[in-house]
Amino acid sequence: MTKANNNDTRTYLRPFGLALLMCILLPHAGHAQSGDTSNTTQPQSAGQVFLSDLKESLNDGATIFLSPLHFSTRGWATVGGTGLVVGGMVAWVDQPVREYFLAHQNPTGDALASFGNFFGTGLIGGVAAVTLYTAGLATRETHLRLMGRHIVQSLAMSGIITTIFKSLFGRARPYLNEGPHAFNGPTFSNDRNSLPSGHVTVATAICASLAEDLHNTWASIGLYALAGSTVYARMYTDKHWSSDVVLGGVIGTACGYWTVHLHDSDHDSTGTGLLITPTPGGLFVQYKF
């Protein structure tokens, strides 16, 4: 595919991606779970609601970042299991997967990768977040406002986590041809910030947040298909190893999920959840796996 054709494809796919996302959202937005913890007994101005959302978002972020202090043994086992899976992929899977994608380049793959890479920048999700939040604020539709807020929260939290990991691991990207085991330690060089994939973190955070808010099977399938295009694109264009996209996907999905369900109160004694209990000294936070 020529450079001109690639540019034409990108020009077409960008608005198409936003239109596709909105087609998924609009039929199901009315069924979103509200989960609003703000005081709704008194009418609030738009400014008051915005400030309340900002405060809630900061509190939610602090709660989630401090939650590892309260992990159960099973919770740490889950984290360790994820680490073992990623480590195993580094050792045995990354190089064969890279070779497969390099050997299967074609115009269709180019077009899909172009869209997936763009979706992973977060621009489409950002537009959706602003649109949903603004519409919800203007119409006093709580569920729409929270959908937009949850996207922003999940992007912020997953982005911080991913950036920290990238800088600490210092993993060389595939196109440097240094192999999957080239970890250089702390660095801010983009060429050596491969693990985890930031694009995949962004895509999965957006889609997981929306999927949990919409709580509709078909909408979830469509959303995760969008995220899947970014997973494909990052490996197809030789920007990331397969383990990079797996870890990015885990981070993004986890942040999207917990952002929506952070204040759920319907977890039973055997279920999975993040429990927040008021105490005289503040809030007690506990994960249940």
Side-chain angles (χ1 to χ4, degrees):
M1 183 178 290
T2 65
K3 182 176 181 180
N5 286 337
N6 271 324
N7 289 334
D8 290 342
T9 300
R10 290 175 66 89
T11 301
Y12 167 75
L13 287 175
R14 291 182 180 185
F16 171 78
L18 179 58
L20 180 59
L21 182 58
M22 297 312 293
C23 284
I24 293 172
L25 294 179
L26 292 177
H28 310 289
H31 303 289
Q33 301 170 341
S34 62
D36 195 0
T37 59
S38 62
N39 181 12
T40 57
T41 59
Q42 296 288 338
Q44 293 181 311
S45 67
Q48 289 174 319
V49 173
F50 176 80
L51 290 176
S52 176
D53 281 335
L54 180 60
K55 181 180 178 180
E56 287 275 345
S57 297
L58 293 174
N59 288 336
D60 288 351
T63 299
I64 289 180
F65 279 114
L66 292 175
S67 60
L69 299 176
H70 303 280
F71 273 2
S72 64
T73 302
R74 189 175 178 183
W76 281 114
T78 301
V79 173
T82 301
L84 288 175
V85 169
V86 172
M89 295 183 71
V90 171
W92 294 293
V93 179
D94 279 345
Q95 189 60 42
V97 170
R98 183 199 180 207
E99 292 172 358
Y100 173 85
F101 278 104
L102 290 178
H104 292 81
Q105 303 282 307
N106 56 72
T108 301
D110 293 345
L112 178 58
S114 177
F115 172 76
N117 279 322
F118 179 66
F119 186 75
T121 64
L123 181 59
I124 293 177
V127 171
V130 172
T131 301
L132 289 167
Y133 188 85
T134 303
L137 195 63
T139 62
R140 296 186 180 275
E141 288 287 344
T142 301
H143 58 272
L144 289 179
R145 194 187 86 247
L146 287 179
M147 285 171 66
R149 192 185 93 185
H150 288 157
I151 295 175
V152 175
Q153 286 181 260
S154 60
L155 284 175
M157 287 183 285
S158 62
I160 292 171
I161 295 170
T162 296
T163 299
I164 291 172
F165 283 0
K166 278 177 172 288
S167 301
L168 289 177
F169 291 136
R171 190 184 195 186
R173 293 185 185 270
Y175 58 73
L176 294 179
N177 292 311
E178 296 181 8
H181 307 121
F183 291 86
N184 302 276
T187 178
F188 292 102
S189 169
N190 181 61
D191 287 340
R192 301 184 184 280
N193 280 168
S194 191
L195 180 70
S197 168
H199 279 66
V200 172
T201 299
V202 166
T204 53
I206 293 169
C207 293
S209 169
L210 288 172
E212 294 305 313
D213 266 324
L214 294 171
H215 202 60
N216 178 276
T217 300
W218 292 109
S220 296
I221 291 173
L223 287 164
Y224 282 110
L226 290 175
S229 71
T230 303
V231 171
Y232 172 86
R234 301 313 285 169
M235 293 184 290
Y236 181 89
T237 55
D238 206 29
K239 295 296 192 299
H240 283 286
W241 303 96
S242 59
S243 54
D244 299 340
V245 303
V246 167
L247 186 56
V250 168
I251 294 171
T253 301
C255 287
Y257 179 88
W258 288 118
T259 293
V260 175
H261 294 288
L262 186 63
H263 298 288
D264 284 0
S265 58
D266 57 354
H267 295 291
D268 60 32
S269 59
T270 60
T272 299
L274 182 62
L275 306 183
I276 307 173
T277 307
T279 68
L283 292 177
F284 176 72
V285 184
Q286 181 183 22
Y287 265 111
K288 288 191 64 182
F289 285 88

